[in-house]
Amino acid sequence: MDGNKAPNVKGVDSPGRRTVYSLCGMCAVRCPIQVEVQDGRVVWIQGNPNDKTMGTSLCAKGAAAIAFENDDERPQYPLIRTGARGGGQWRRASWDEALDYIAEKLQGVIDKFGGKGIAFSDRGGPFADLQKTFVKSLGSPNYFNHDCTCGRNAQHASQSLFGMGRKGLGMDIKNTKHLVLYGRNMIESLQVKEVKDFMDALGKGAKCTYIDVRATLTASKASRFWMIRPNTEYALNLAFIHVVLAENLYDADFVKKWVVGLDELRESVKETTPEWAEKMTGVPAGEIKAAIREIAADRPNVIFHLGWMTARHRQSFYTSRTAHILNALMGNIEQTGGLIIAKGTGDYGLKGLNKLDQRAPKVEDPRVDGVGTKFKHFDKGPGLMHLLFPAILSGEPYPMGAYIAYRHDPLTSLPDPDVMKQALDKLDLIVSIDVNYSETAWYADVILPEATFLERGSIIAEKKGAKPNLQLRDQCISPRFDSRPAWWIFREILRRLGKSEPLEFETLEDIWAYQLEGTDVSLEELRSKGVLGLVSKEERRDRDTGLGFKTASGKVEMISPALDEAGLPSLAPFYDPPANEPGQFNLVFGRVAYHNHAHTMNNPLLNELMSENALWINKATGGELGIGDGDTIEVKSNGYSTKGKVRLTEFIHPEAAFMVHGFGRTVPLQTRTYGKGMADQRLMKGKLTSYDPAGGGNCLTETVISVKKA
Amino acid sequence: MSKYYLLQDSERCIGCLACEVSCKSNKSLPVGPALCKNMSVGPVEIKSLPRVRFVFMPCFHCEDPWCLDVCPSGAIQKRAGDGIVFIEPNLCIGCKSCITACPWGACQWDPAAAKAVKCDYCKDRLDEGLKPACVTKCLTQCLEFGVADKLPSGRRERFAAQIARDAFNPKG
């Protein structure tokens, strides 16, 4: 195509048949894939069988990648806004023109406020070294990711106990005897390898206790399902711990060696009996007792899941924290069928990848969200994005001038887009770099079309685990449109600002060579497999002497000094959420297996499977409100109202309502999904600034909606 | 009947629909036709637990296919070697007789090509020694494909293991 001078990886356009190993980009899991290319076109995608767990499996989203590639309803060339923000008027620009425009605006912001006046967000993941290097090179401490609406509470819970983040302890699901899931909908919010292990474990007779406000497909495979009152699972965990301590069901040997603060823990759960928890949760006390006894009988090969998407309510951090306390009490750490400490190259005495980040000068300025200064108990890495918007609005602790969204769509994924827009309106520049017309892109000043994951290579990813490995996203084909890979876009912006030294590489192959320099791995070897294990034999740490928790005491700390210092309880009493009025519900959101959170709604094949969401409410409750299955309803919250379809089911708690996230799109260029369904984030009025003070995650499921027949 | 089997183990199926999308993607089909369909039934409450059953419906590749009998143009054919029933697109006149005739709805309409389409077990893949698209990408191996005289005994093995587990752990 004319104007397409993409910096392709060498040989990507060669004729004939090629097999390319890469990493999927249809959701944030990034599964290893094998791609068959015929004369520059992708003809087949499957899982990469060089990864044994993956095999040739690939989920519906990955299978719809070719449809995504061939779809014209995505940004095809750089666009510069001509009308009002969000007005949908654009002009086509060349890359030079768009990049010059951005650089000029960024220079203005740097001159006025310094580099720290630029904020950037992405969705984390294994390539974040590139993005962090870009932000650091700009001279900004304000790298954010999506995690305040995802796993922050779990992250901080894990850090507060073990000194390690949530990925520091991997789950050996395949070999577990009992898995306890708190709304972790493994089957529909699926990661291919994880769900394969899950189903294998069940096939071998593992039990699963699934706790949620509704019966998901995961519930349909579980051996125990509790339809719990919304936002109360923390009470359940307090009762579990109460029984474990009262009946000595814990691993006394492990606890003696590795847990500090057992007395304080015991004191904190003195009154949280199963009978007490029954009143909070609706789960019968007898069942709570039977369950925890059954689970403890299978210890240490049991797992209490920390949660994945834990931005739910004000006690989500404590739910995750108590799940991990139960893990420690079960002594399941560094145990088959329990939790395995994730190990990196360093743990095996190997040299890891060279990081790009180390090439960039250190940034001394504090973060604008106060993480690391005002909030010392939060992980500085990606900060807390919900705190960015109040900071922009107030100009405190310092004013901001620009925001760059890289494959992140806060107007869809964070609550209350109207407030976000008010903040964004104060900025001189909003840029969206994306493969889709996201809601945020539509509100931006410039849209830079990134090449799709099939059309671009990424930096090499190093993954920790029981055994560390390297993963390559190779480029499969050249871009169909005038789009570019992220590494090139970042370098070009930095070049224009005279700050490109850290990303000054001519080609992606040069970046790969830099990353691999000094390791034992050659690019050829990595390319020939796509996923390369770095060690042959798994090593476990010594459970008597060598678990090496990264806390001050080296042990699992029931009382966290960081929380103490922040004036927050480590072992908090349970807050009983108020009951809803008739006709009101807690809004809970989630996914189906064939859509990701917010990026696939317009995909032709996935849209065909589900083109509109519906609000689930309890059948009996709906009946009392005069609502029939399939009716059109009006849903209201704090002055915002929307209309959609209702699904009545007995498999949802009467106090909860559920919808699949990602619908209610407003970008007319996405014709298949435009205007279809309801957007939960717009119903979450006032929730942008509502978060768990100990964990930092947004309190999304505290949103109360009222429902009536339209 | 064709010499193959394509079995679904509902117990292992998670309803992720990778089968449906892989099929459509492999055949470059537009919105509309689905050569295989994984229908879910439920949830229903069984012994106080929510349970969902899945029913996978490709083409059964009948011994005496209704669709073949009614096809006026000879487009629907049966492979001599293995009994796969398929549509030769160049011969299809788009009359939809097969769609009317098939009792299981296996014959579908491709609006882009204005012709009938149906599952052919991905015969081109079979000829390369590969398995059908739906089976290849299935997440949990709940779909199994092979030659019918070598049917797997997975379900019997699972049942035996279950019996043994219950016997060893009577309190279970």
Side-chain angles (χ1 to χ4, degrees), chain A residues 556-567:
Chain A
V556 189
E557 295 178 342
M558 296 299 109
I559 304 295
S560 154
L563 289 174
D564 266 357
E565 205 182 310

Side-chain angles (χ1 to χ4, degrees), chain A residues 336-451:
Chain A
T336 299
L339 305 177
I340 311 279
I341 294 172
K343 291 149 197 102
T345 42
D347 295 285
Y348 281 91
L350 300 168
K351 179 172 176 351
L353 293 177
N354 297 304
K355 292 190 89 178
L356 292 165
D357 173 69
Q358 70 196 28
R359 296 162 58 95
K362 201 162 183 263
V363 176
E364 302 292 347
D365 290 306
R367 296 186 57 95
V368 73
D369 55 6
V371 173
T373 47
K374 191 172 164 195
F375 306 109
K376 290 207 176 77
H377 61 298
F378 293 138
D379 179 1
K380 250 168 96 174
L384 289 173
M385 185 151 183
H386 56 73
L387 297 175
L388 169 65
F389 299 97
I392 295 174
L393 283 167
S394 69
E396 296 294 335
Y398 50 77
M400 299 296 291
Y403 166 59
I404 302 171
Y406 171 57
R407 301 181 60 252
H408 183 208
D409 187 8
L411 293 183
T412 300
S413 63
L414 268 71
D416 212 343
D418 286 346
V419 175
M420 281 186 270
K421 285 179 183 172
Q422 284 167 25
L424 293 174
D425 282 344
K426 292 193 69 177
L427 301 178
D428 296 336
L429 178 70
I430 309 168
V431 179
S432 170
I433 306 168
D434 210 318
V435 295
N436 285 302
Y437 290 116
S438 71
E439 298 286 308
T440 306
W442 206 241
Y443 204 72
D445 304 328
V446 186
I447 301 176
L448 297 179
E450 191 185 20

Side-chain angles (χ1 to χ4, degrees), chain A residues 45 56 200 220-222 608, chain B residues 11 13 24 32 51 136-137:
Chain A
I45 306 177
T56 57
D200 279 350
S220 81
K221 301 290 184 187
E608 184 181 12
Chain B
E11 196 82 358
C13 181
K24 289 198 66 157
R51 289 294 179 249
T136 305
K137 293 202 224 176

